[in-house]
């Protein structure tokens, strides 16, 4: 139905530049998640798409039509706000019907059908006569989603919709949004969050933003396994990737690096021979590290801190680098503070980044 | 224990003192209004006689009922126009970004800093220029000078505190600014509207100086001026009984208004729309 095309989208408030030229192709029916740290411009980008802020530069197309100057209500979008933004003095029914009543040209029975249809999907039919203040947080957020559904949008925009809910409700609502996406095939969804779990579980493709620029766009697992750069590598995954400054010892095919304070490590990354001798960054994810007794160990050290999380245990190992190495190991492993351990992983799990933080491709 | 009791006693003594000082003048006006003849000139703190003569006299002789109607009309129109202008102005001042916004806001506030007497002669020229001297329009026009600054300020502050997301949700729903004001904001602003409306009404109702200056005949005067100009049979007689009866009568509408609207002043009307 409706794809989006962003070309060189810029936004500045006075002299403060917030977005520095965003290019993005969003296919019709895709679930796109904007993710990034606070202040990276992800919400601003969403508000530009919604039309709540003016675009400073570049063009925005929805469904092949340039919409830069179009009012939000004419863009075929609907938005779900973080704070729900329900009209406090209207019942749930009126909240959901408000947009259609304003649009004119819909008779009462049509509005009624659409509102009840949306209420049915979200299981809020029993609350249609209540006021927002008589609902719980989760119910309010569902009303907000229902209000968006009633608008029958081409593009669904979510601005951190789950961040005001408690942990259990967040999981439940996340699953509901996922179902909604399946049910409304063809409707493009754009979702802003700072929560990487939401990003990983909901997205067809994730857009990682940092300081007003797109760092990488790709499917969740692609971003996780093949981050383009240090920022994406560290942003996705919890706890974040262990990164150690290193010297590149030799290029492919026998590429190896020497992390500061550690022994030389052979890596699978494709590193040009010309990079040998230069500085870079070596990275390995905590969940890829395992305890070992054998000679394949890449780190040896003393356990500083042990964190039992139930299903896994995090250990912080002092291996001589400036920061301890974090490893996520199975809970059965018996470890204690002060214990000497060795850690290893397979070669394919090792990441190497050049001096600018750009990843070397992995074979 | 003793200290505790002392503190409690002290507190209630203070409360009684404050209440006494606040309502004694009005109480004295009421009991005086029920006296007649020479009883008026005796100092009594308790009702000694009961007579409605002063009331019937004030309502049947002279133009007092007409003055009452004038006051009612003028104060109501002032409230209506002030609220209409203030609501639309405060929407712009709180929600539309434009250059010189805070300067404008302070200019509006500055208008109310001038004492009435300072603007009186200039205003008189304006009133003459528009040809509305000795008509209700002169008073409606001049009362805006002191009602608009505070209605605009209070409503601007109130509107600024309304969650911006609600407005944005309405924009996405396709609401024009006018629809946002009337369908979304006004229902949320009842408490502020009632409060500012009441204050504006009271200010217009009690105003004296402009009313004295811009009217010249008994039929166009408002109540405060009419009361001040009530005269007795001779110029040496001040009709205290009539004055007190008239004063009690003009207070009644204000009390009634406050009683009606106090139920409408419901705090926390925005609860539930957004989080928190």
């Amino acid at each position: 139905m409706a794809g989006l095309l962003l070309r060189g989208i810029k936004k500045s408030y006075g002299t403060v530049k917030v977005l520095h030229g965003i290019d993005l192709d969003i296919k019709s029916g895709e679930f796109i998640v904007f993710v990034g740290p606070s202040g990276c411009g992800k919400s601003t980008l969403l508000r530009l798409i919604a039309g709540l802020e003016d675009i400073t530069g570049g063009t925005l197309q929805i469904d092949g039509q340039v919409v830069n100057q179009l009012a939000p209500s004419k863009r075929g979008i609907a938005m779900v706000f973080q704070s729900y933004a329900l009209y406090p003095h209207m019942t749930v029914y009126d909240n959901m019907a408000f947009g259609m009543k304003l649009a004119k040209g819909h008779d009462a029975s049509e509005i009624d059908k659409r509102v009840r249809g949306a209420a049915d999907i979200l299981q809020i039919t029993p609350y249609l006569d209540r006021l927002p203040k008589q609902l719980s947080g989760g119910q309010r957020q569902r009303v907000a989603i229902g209000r968006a559904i009633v608008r029958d949008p081409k593009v669904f925009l979510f601005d951190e919709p789950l961040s005001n809910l408690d942990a259990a409700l967040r999981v439940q609502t996340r699953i509901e949004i996922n179902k909604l996406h399946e049910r409304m095939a063809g409707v493009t969804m754009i979702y802003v969050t700072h929560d990487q779990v939401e990003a990983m579980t909901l997205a067809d493709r994730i857009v990682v933003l940092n300081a007003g620029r797109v760092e990488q766009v790709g499917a969740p697992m692609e971003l996780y396994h093949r981050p383009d750069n240090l920022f994406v590598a560290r942003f996705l995954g919890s706890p974040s990737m262990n990164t150690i400054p290193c010297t590149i010892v030799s290029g492919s095919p026998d590429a190896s690096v020497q992390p500061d304070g550690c022994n030389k490590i052979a890596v699978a990354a494709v590193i040009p021979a010309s990079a040998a001798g230069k500085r870079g960054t070596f990275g390995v994810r905590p969940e890829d590290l395992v305890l070992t007794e054998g000679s394949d160990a890449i780190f040896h050290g003393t356990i500083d801190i042990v964190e039992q999380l139930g299903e896994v245990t995090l250990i912080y190992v002092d291996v001589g680098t400036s920061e301890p190495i974090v490893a996520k190991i199975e809970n059965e492993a018996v470890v204690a503070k002060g214990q000497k351990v060795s850690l290893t992983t397979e070669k394919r799990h090792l990441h190497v980044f050049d001096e600018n933080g750009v990843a070397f491709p992995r074979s | 224990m003793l200290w505790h009791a002392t503190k409690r006693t002290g507190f209630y003594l203070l409360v009684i003192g404050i209440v006494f000082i606040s309502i004694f003048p009005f109480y004295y006006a009421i009991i005086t209004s029920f006296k007649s003849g020479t009883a008026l000139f005796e100092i009594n703190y308790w009702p000694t006689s009961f007579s409605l003569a002063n009331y019937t006299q004030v309502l049947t002789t002279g133009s007092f009922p007409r003055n009452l109607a004038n006051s009612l009309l003028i104060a109501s129109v002032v409230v209506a126009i002030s609220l209409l202008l203030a609501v639309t102005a405060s929407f712009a001042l709180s929600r539309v970004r434009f250059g010189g916004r805070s300067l404008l806001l302070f200019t509006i506030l500055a208008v109310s800093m001038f004492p009435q007497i300072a603007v009186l002669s200039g205003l008189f020229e304006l009133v003459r220029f528009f040809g509305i001297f000795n008509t209700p329009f002169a008073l409606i026009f001049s009362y805006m000078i002191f009602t608009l600054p505070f209605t605009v300020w209070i409503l601007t502050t109130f509107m600024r505190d309304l969650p911006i997301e609600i407005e944005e949700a309405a924009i996405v729903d396709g609401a024009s600014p006018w629809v946002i004001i009337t369908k979304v904001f006004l229902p949320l602003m009842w408490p502020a509207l009632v409060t500012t409306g009441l204050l504006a009404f009271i200010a217009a109702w009690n105003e004296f100086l402009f009313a004295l200056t811009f009217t010249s005949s008994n039929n166009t005067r408002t109540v405060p001026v009419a009361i001040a100009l009530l005269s007795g049979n001779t110029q040496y007689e001040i009709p205290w009984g009539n004055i007190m009866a008239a004063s009690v009568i003009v207070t009644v509408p204000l009390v009634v208004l406050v009683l009606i609207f106090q139920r409408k002043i419901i705090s926390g009307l925005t609860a539930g729309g957004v989080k928190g």
Side-chain angles (χ1 to χ4, degrees), chain B residues 151-220:
Chain B
T151 46
V152 169
W153 261 80
I154 294 176
L155 293 183
T156 301
T157 322
F158 195 87
M159 219 184 256
R160 206 181 271 157
D161 289 344
L162 290 178
I164 187 99
E165 288 92 347
I166 291 184
E167 184 189 350
E168 287 175 343
I171 292 174
V172 171
D173 269 342
S176 63
W178 181 247
V179 172
I180 293 174
I181 292 175
T182 52
K183 295 260 179 68
V184 180
F185 278 0
L186 276 192
L188 301 179
M189 288 178 62
W190 261 115
L193 287 179
V194 167
T195 316
T196 50
L198 265 180
L199 287 174
F201 190 91
I202 292 169
W205 184 261
N206 289 336
E207 204 284 333
F208 179 76
L209 186 60
F210 287 168
L212 179 69
T213 315
F214 300 143
T215 54
S216 59
S217 64
N218 274 338
N219 279 338
T220 50

Side-chain angles (χ1 to χ4, degrees), chain A residues 272-291:
Chain A
S274 60
K278 288 188 178 160
R279 298 289 291 165
T281 306
F282 166 80
V284 59
R285 292 199 182 277
E287 52 270 39
D288 290 334
L289 289 168
V290 288
L291 291 172

Side-chain angles (χ1 to χ4, degrees), chain B:
Chain B
M1 193 61 208
L2 187 69
W3 172 234
H4 190 70
T6 321
K7 270 205 304 192
R8 272 181 84 84
T9 323
F11 173 73
Y12 285 108
L13 279 178
L14 196 65
V15 169
I16 290 167
I18 291 170
V19 170
F20 177 77
I21 291 169
S22 323
I23 65 169
F24 177 76
F26 190 61
Y27 167 77
Y28 201 72
I30 293 178
I31 60 167
T32 308
S33 71
F34 290 129
K35 291 179 183 172
S36 58
T38 52
L40 276 168
F41 302 99
E42 291 162 13
I43 299 173
N44 286 313
Y45 296 114
W46 302 107
T48 48
S49 61
F50 184 80
S51 145
L52 288 173
N54 292 322
Y55 288 88
T56 46
Q57 200 180 349
V58 114
L59 286 172
T60 49
T61 58
S63 56
F64 191 76
R66 176 67 196 259
N67 300 138
L68 212 53
N70 284 343
S71 275
L72 212 55
L73 172 82
I74 289 167
S76 309
V77 174
V78 164
V79 168
I81 299 180
S82 300
L83 287 185
L84 177 72
L85 291 178
V87 164
T88 43
S90 59
F91 180 75
L93 287 167
S94 62
R95 287 303 163 86
V96 184
R97 277 186 220 136
F98 58 88
R101 182 167 68 167
S102 53
L103 181 72
L104 186 59
L105 240 135
F106 278 103
T107 313
I108 293 171
L109 188 67
V111 169
S112 61
M113 290 176 190
F114 295 106
Q116 278 186 310
I117 193 77
V119 294
L120 194 63
S121 55
L123 210 52
F124 188 78
E125 287 302 316
L126 275 177
V127 164
R128 290 286 297 271
F129 176 78
F130 289 125
I132 51 176
F133 180 75
N134 202 23
T135 67
F137 300 111
L139 298 185
I140 292 169
F141 170 72
S142 55
Y143 288 177
M144 294 287 169
I145 288 175
F146 53 82
T147 59
L148 271 178
F150 79 82
T151 46
V152 169
W153 261 80
I154 294 176
L155 293 183
T156 301
T157 322
F158 195 87
M159 219 184 256
R160 206 181 271 157
D161 289 344
L162 290 178
I164 187 99
E165 288 92 347
I166 291 184
E167 184 189 350
E168 287 175 343
I171 292 174
V172 171
D173 269 342
S176 63
W178 181 247
V179 172
I180 293 174
I181 292 175
T182 52
K183 295 260 179 68
V184 180
F185 278 0
L186 276 192
L188 301 179
M189 288 178 62
W190 261 115
L193 287 179
V194 167
T195 316
T196 50
L198 265 180
L199 287 174
F201 190 91
I202 292 169
W205 184 261
N206 289 336
E207 204 284 333
F208 179 76
L209 186 60
F210 287 168
L212 179 69
T213 315
F214 300 143
T215 54
S216 59
S217 64
N218 274 338
N219 279 338
T220 50
R221 285 200 180 110
T222 55
V223 168
V225 181
I227 292 176
L229 299 182
L230 274 182
S231 52
N233 300 326
T234 70
Q235 70 178 103
Y236 303 109
E237 185 194 334
I238 299 173
W240 287 116
N242 290 1
I243 290 175
M244 290 304 161
S247 306
V248 172
I249 290 172
V250 298
T251 318
V252 169
L254 298 184
V255 174
V256 170
L257 276 179
V258 171
L259 288 181
I260 290 174
F261 284 114
Q262 70 161 359
R263 280 183 297 156
K264 294 250 181 198
I265 305 175
I266 309 156
S267 58
L269 210 59
T270 56
V274 296
K275 205 212 171 217

Side-chain angles (χ1 to χ4, degrees), chain A residues 43-53 79 81 159, chain B residues 168:
Chain A
S43 279
T44 307
L45 186 56
L46 192 78
R47 293 168 59 82
L48 290 181
I49 294 172
L52 292 170
E53 307 264 355
M79 187 151 168
F81 293 84
D159 189 4
Chain B
E168 287 175 343

